[in-house]
Amino acid sequence: MAVVATLRALRNRSISSFAHRSVNRFISTLVIAEHEGGFVKPSSLSALAAAEAITKENSVSVLLGGSGSTLQKAASHAASSHPLISEVLVADLDILEHPLAESWAELVHSIQRKGGYSHIVSASTSFGKNVIPRAAALLDVSPITDVISIAEPRVFVRPIYAGNALCTVRYTGQDPCIMTVRSTSFPYHINLTDAEPRSAPITQVDLSFFSEETLGKSRYLTLASQDTERPDLGNARVVVTGGRALKSTENFKMLERLAEKLGAAVGATRAAVDAGFVPNDLQVGQTGKIVAPELYMAFGVSGAIQHLAGMRDSKVIVAVNKDGDAPIFQVADYGLVADLFEVIPELLEKLPEEK
């Protein structure tokens, strides 16, 4: 009986191993990428790193949309950005230049019907959060959002309760498994060992399926943004954040001067945004941007769980607050119980100008 049990166990193990290899063999991933200035955005490069985390035996296609010379330049950049990439799909159409959910979801739906991908991945940016749910609805599947870890090709980890708990999710639905990933959890490392990086083929997407009905559902009007030479908040190496304790827009300008000296991006809490001190595109937190810089400096930030969910992965956290019992000090690497209106002017006086 012992011999029979052993043979049965070996057979089951072999079947499981074969099934695992079979699943890996048929994995193919479509990465929906963003680009700017002729280059793929860092958040989309992190989505490529997530595709690699699904399995090393992965056939990855990258989808880029837009129009003009910058699109073609971005396609060339994408083609040589990762050895797993088997193809770069280029959708050259004016309406795709702007992130309208209707047109992009139709594009993803059409490409999935032709390509039959097992996974569709996008970064958990405003673009990904806008397109992925609608595309999932057209494909009649349930999306998995804010993935921070990939244990198996269909087993993922995502935060819940503002990041205070982690949930392991097993996807049991039909293909494709469609998801957004936190770019801060999948750092992209440039491979400098290859003397001649491989370039994947670039294919133009057939866009004849677009109809007037699809194109007429929404239209792009305008983009309002502030022109600044400071780094982008989502990708900055240093972030300087202010809370409601700064009290006014004028006081936030003091924080902006500090950011200029440090070569940092400026962030804000939801309370500061709701008070009208700064625009909402600077908000860091669960309902704002997720950041993980090398240095995160928080001035007058209490440390509400919604805010901590957006910056707890920062490498070094420095907090300045008058309240010694503020929750921010529980996650800070360095804490200073002091008045920010005394600390910031002193820093401005003693820090050298950025070179």
Side-chain angles (χ1 to χ4, degrees):
M1 294 296 292
V3 173
V4 173
T6 301
L7 290 174
R8 188 174 297 164
L10 288 172
R11 185 195 64 181
N12 292 340
R13 186 181 304 172
S14 298
I15 292 173
S16 176
S17 177
F18 174 77
H20 181 72
R21 290 196 304 270
S22 298
V23 169
N24 284 350
R25 188 177 297 124
F26 295 110
I27 285 179
S28 59
T29 301
L30 176 67
V31 174
I32 306 172
E34 300 174 75
H35 63 95
E36 185 176 33
F39 295 95
V40 178
K41 286 189 174 182
S43 57
S44 294
L45 293 177
S46 294
L48 282 171
E52 183 178 18
I54 294 172
T55 176
K56 299 288 185 181
E57 303 168 6
N58 197 347
S59 174
V60 178
S61 298
V62 176
L63 173 62
L64 292 170
S67 63
S69 58
T70 57
L71 172 62
Q72 304 306 322
K73 184 179 177 182
S76 298
H77 177 225
S80 58
S81 60
H82 200 289
L84 275 184
I85 296 176
S86 59
E87 184 181 29
V88 176
L89 303 173
V90 176
D92 194 338
L93 192 66
D94 288 343
I95 195 172
L96 297 172
E97 188 173 350
H98 308 294
L100 298 176
E102 291 84 358
S103 54
W104 269 93
E106 287 287 350
L107 174 64
V108 173
H109 181 235
S110 175
I111 289 176
Q112 171 59 25
R113 288 173 62 188
K114 294 178 182 178
Y117 298 96
S118 63
H119 293 70
I120 297 178
V121 181
S122 179
S124 190
T125 58
S126 56
F127 171 80
K129 292 175 181 177
N130 189 28
V131 173
I132 287 296
R134 192 177 186 95
L138 291 176
L139 294 166
D140 196 24
V141 296
S142 297
I144 303 171
T145 59
D146 251 3
V147 171
I148 63 170
S149 179
I150 299 174
E152 297 177 15
R154 289 180 175 249
V155 179
F156 313 98
V157 179
R158 61 182 301 272
I160 57 176
Y161 301 123
N164 286 295
L166 299 179
C167 176
T168 300
V169 179
R170 180 180 295 275
Y171 181 76
T172 59
Q174 63 182 8
D175 288 347
C177 174
I178 186 167
M179 59 184 173
T180 60
V181 299
R182 280 196 184 181
S183 56
T184 55
S185 299
F186 296 93
Y188 178 78
H189 301 290
I190 299 175
N191 185 7
L192 300 176
T193 59
D194 295 336
E196 296 182 2
R198 186 183 66 86
S199 183
I202 299 174
T203 304
Q204 299 294 324
V205 176
D206 179 12
L207 301 174
S208 59
F209 63 89
F210 273 117
S211 64
E212 289 296 328
E213 181 183 355
T214 302
L215 300 180
K217 289 181 179 178
S218 63
R219 60 191 179 93
Y220 173 81
L221 295 178
T222 185
L223 171 66
S225 64
Q226 292 184 328
D227 293 328
T228 176
E229 295 182 357
R230 288 192 296 272
D232 176 66
L233 178 58
N235 304 308
R237 293 176 60 250
V238 181
V239 173
V240 178
T241 294
R244 183 166 44 192
L246 278 161
K247 299 179 180 179
S248 69
T249 302
E250 289 299 317
N251 290 334
F252 252 93
K253 292 180 179 178
M254 176 175 61
L255 199 67
E256 291 172 0
R257 291 197 299 273
L258 177 61
E260 289 171 3
K261 283 205 168 189
L262 294 171
V266 174
T269 63
R270 178 171 181 173
V273 170
D274 288 347
F277 300 158
V278 290
N280 60 7
D281 59 337
L282 299 185
Q283 182 178 325
V284 174
Q286 184 183 17
T287 54
K289 292 184 177 178
I290 309 296
V291 300
E294 295 179 14
L295 174 62
Y296 187 88
M297 303 181 72
F299 294 90
V301 175
S302 63
I305 58 173
Q306 289 84 359
H307 182 75
L308 297 183
M311 46 68 70
R312 65 168 68 245
D313 292 331
S314 303
K315 306 302 181 292
V316 177
I317 300 173
V318 178
V320 178
N321 199 302
K322 284 198 301 184
D323 181 6
D325 296 324
I328 189 69
F329 289 122
Q330 296 177 13
V331 299
D333 297 287
Y334 301 93
L336 178 61
V337 180
D339 188 344
L340 66 89
F341 292 107
E342 296 176 0
V343 174
I344 295 178
E346 189 172 352
L347 286 172
L348 288 172
E349 180 184 344
K350 294 183 177 180
L351 283 172
E353 295 292 339
E354 185 197 15
K355 295 181 181 180

